[in-house]
Amino acid sequence: MATVETLPALEAEPHAAVFSNEDPKTVRLSLDADERIEPHRHSGRDIVFYLVDGAVDLDIDDETHSLRAGDVARFEGEREISPIARMPSTVLLAPARRVDD
């Protein structure tokens, strides 16, 4: 059985869990223009950060990546991140629990 959700229909702001399952965790993040998420980490996870619409500067440690709609960033959750929206933006985050090889 497949589960299908639409991002605009999710009600929680700014973070909305797309599916109720813990793993794989998937979150829709809505940011207003100039809104910043404070620096933080997602230890023990690998992060996929997909910019659905808008424009975001994604600070990862001491690097800044300017993302446009359709861009995807992937990084280890131990790195400190802080996104700031340059315009209203929607991000789909998939923090996947890291499995040791």
Side-chain angles (χ1 to χ4, degrees):
M1 176 179 195
T3 303
V4 177
E5 297 290 346
T6 61
L7 293 181
L10 300 175
E11 294 181 4
E13 292 291 340
H15 298 84
V18 178
F19 304 107
S20 60
N21 301 23
E22 176 62 27
D23 275 322
K25 185 171 184 170
T26 308
V27 175
R28 192 242 20 238
L29 174 63
S30 296
L31 297 170
D32 292 328
D34 300 320
E35 185 175 0
R36 173 186 289 276
I37 301 296
E38 292 301 315
H40 64 285
R41 291 180 167 81
H42 296 274
S43 298
R45 296 190 178 263
D46 288 323
I47 309 299
V48 174
F49 184 105
Y50 171 62
L51 186 56
V52 176
D53 58 43
V56 168
D57 285 335
L58 178 61
D59 292 339
I60 304 176
D61 292 332
D62 59 354
E63 305 167 348
T64 299
H65 302 272
S66 294
L67 306 178
R68 297 177 303 182
D71 287 346
V72 179
R74 182 177 173 272
F75 51 91
E76 294 177 346
E78 282 69 28
R79 299 184 72 186
E80 186 174 79
I81 66 164
S82 179
I84 182 168
R86 296 190 312 260
M87 63 178 57
S89 300
T90 304
V91 177
L92 189 63
L93 293 166
R97 185 165 292 157
R98 187 172 304 122
V99 178
D100 294 330
D101 293 330

